[in-house]
Amino acid sequence: MSMAPIPATGGCLCGSIRYTVTETPAMSAVCHCRNCQQQSGSAYSVMIAVPLAALQFDAGQPRCYRDTGTSGQPVDRYFCGDCGSPLYSDVAVLPGMAFVKAGTLDDPAWVEPTQALWCDSALPSARLADDITRLPGNPPV
Ligand SMILES: [Zn+2]
Ligand SMILES: [Zn+2]
């Protein structure tokens, strides 16, 4: 993550929400939990973790869906109310961090996840780099 182009901008599919990430991410991970599969409509979500204060909204405000995570604790999932793009999650068991959906970055190509979370529910077709750390649940805190 040393090459992270910070500040990094991003936004939702329709463009009504725009944001800037102002700090280098503390980590990047893919999440294979069933809830991320359902929310994303895909095999897993790819996230970068930054302090909540390092995620600034420049246009629009996301809506929140309060989910219950696989851990049983709340996961506030923020998304665009117009186009539905998932933008970030605020996870109760990992407080103070925004888990930004990396696919919404204007340039997501630099993101290199180092951890794979909730691998017990990973789809067989979801193949990842051999050197990624595979965890059965959330990252240790
Ligand atoms: Zn939108
Ligand atoms: Zn997840």
Side-chain angles (χ1 to χ4, degrees):
M1 209 83 75
S2 57
M3 299 296 286
I6 301 300
T9 54
C12 65
L13 180 61
C14 76
S16 65
I17 296 179
R18 297 288 304 161
Y19 67 78
T20 301
V21 171
T22 61
E23 288 186 28
T24 297
M27 57 95 84
S28 176
V30 301
C31 185
H32 295 279
C33 82
R34 283 291 301 141
N35 300 39
C36 278
Q37 290 170 354
Q38 286 190 285
Q39 190 201 26
S40 67
S42 187
Y44 52 84
S45 57
V46 184
M47 304 166 296
I48 56 171
V50 295
L52 282 167
L55 176 61
Q56 299 178 357
F57 284 90
D58 308 310
Q61 283 295 324
R63 289 183 57 189
C64 178
Y65 170 67
R66 172 153 285 194
D67 192 12
T68 299
T70 307
S71 64
Q73 295 298 305
V75 176
D76 285 342
R77 293 178 176 272
Y78 289 87
F79 62 98
C80 174
D82 293 328
C83 70
S85 292
L87 292 164
Y88 77 101
S89 296
D90 183 348
V91 182
V93 296
L94 301 163
M97 303 297 287
F99 291 86
V100 180
K101 305 292 187 181
T104 64
L105 291 164
D106 292 336
D107 172 19
W110 55 270
V111 176
E112 293 184 17
T114 57
Q115 297 181 29
L117 313 178
W118 297 103
C119 286
D120 288 355
S121 52
L123 299 187
S125 61
R127 297 187 177 88
L128 298 168
D130 288 337
D131 59 352
I132 203 165
T133 300
R134 292 172 169 77
L135 301 172
N138 279 321
V141 289

